[in-house]
Amino acid sequence: MSGDFHERVLIAGCGKIGTRLGEELASLGEEVWGLRRQRVQLPSPLKGLTADLGVPESLQAIPAGITRVYYLATPNTYTDAAYRMAYVDGLHNLLRVLADQGQTPRRVIFVSSTAVYAQQSGEWVDETSLTVPTGFSGQRLLEAERLLLQSRFPGLVVRFGGIYGRHRNAMLRKVQAGEPCHTEPLLYTNRIHEDDCVGVLCHLGRLASPEHIYLAVDDAPCTQCELMDWLAEQLDRPKPARITAAQSPPRTGNKRCCNTRLKTSGYAFRFPTYREGYQAMLASNRTDGSE
Ligand SMILES: NC(=O)c1ccc[n+]([C@@H]2O[C@H](COP(=O)([O-])OP(=O)(O)OC[C@H]3O[C@@H](n4cnc5c(N)ncnc54)[C@H](OP(=O)(O)O)[C@@H]3O)[C@@H](O)[C@H]2O)c1
């Protein structure tokens, strides 16, 4: 997809991942525009656009000739209304403005999540598995996925698992705080390091003839207890206590996500499992931020 053609990329929702993605794409010679509500100085050579995806008029400033779009906006709060605004209404507004402007991007990439799966028994899922989310987060994400894939634009959906990294260290803090992990049922967790989020988005954006949906998780779905036990060992802390669903009902689905399609497309993980990822985090001692 890249070749000699000049790429003009729009990153709608240019926050932590978007900014790093923009820097990576710019280093490959692409022109990158980062859109967000707050007027912040994006690192050079990224070009900033101050606009609100909830306010279509503000999107008129999008430059002509956009060749690729990434949609990475996040909701302000954990409510249905905020999720609808950030994922469904914001995407709808953007697609409508691009259409009205006569823009013809060759790819529009929507960042979704594994919350679209409602499976509860630790079963393996892939891009062809049933998506019948019961919670509003998965429902709104799925609605936005369909909005894009049924639009006039060539759409691509990336479903990230739980992101961890320098800016997201909730699991480490849980272990440090001595929180328990779930048994009965054993809860699976599917993770991806934030560096791989950037790598995957860069790869899929530039891939010739991609599929429409990709699951983006590392090679090692594991139980919450396995991960927390391992982290406790690294941190020289006691193993977490065990609790059951009866004591504390888990809030998440329970499935193992398969990354075969992504790897077959040629993506090589920078951190293939949580071990490499957390070891790098611990070594660099940069565990600020939140997940
Ligand atoms: N956390 C996880 O484990 C997880 C899992 C799966 C997927 N994801 C996805 O990861 C992606 C982003 O991650 P991130 O770390 O880069 O998040 P982030 O740093 O919060 O960036 C999101 C950006 O969206 C902008 N934004 C929000 N609402 C907007 C609006 N109405 N108009 C314009 N811009 C808006 C925000 O900037 P302003 O406030 O300045 O507008 C912010 O810079 C999201 O697509 C999220 O769904 C996360």
Side-chain angles (χ1 to χ4, degrees), residues 169-181:
N169 63 2
M171 217 33 121
L172 277 177
R173 283 186 285 114
K174 266 188 186 183
V175 172
Q176 276 159 338
E179 287 188 27
C181 66

Side-chain angles (χ1 to χ4, degrees), residues 236-250:
D236 213 10
R237 313 276 301 196
K239 274 190 180 181
R242 269 55 178 163
I243 48 168
T244 64
Q247 291 167 291
S248 165

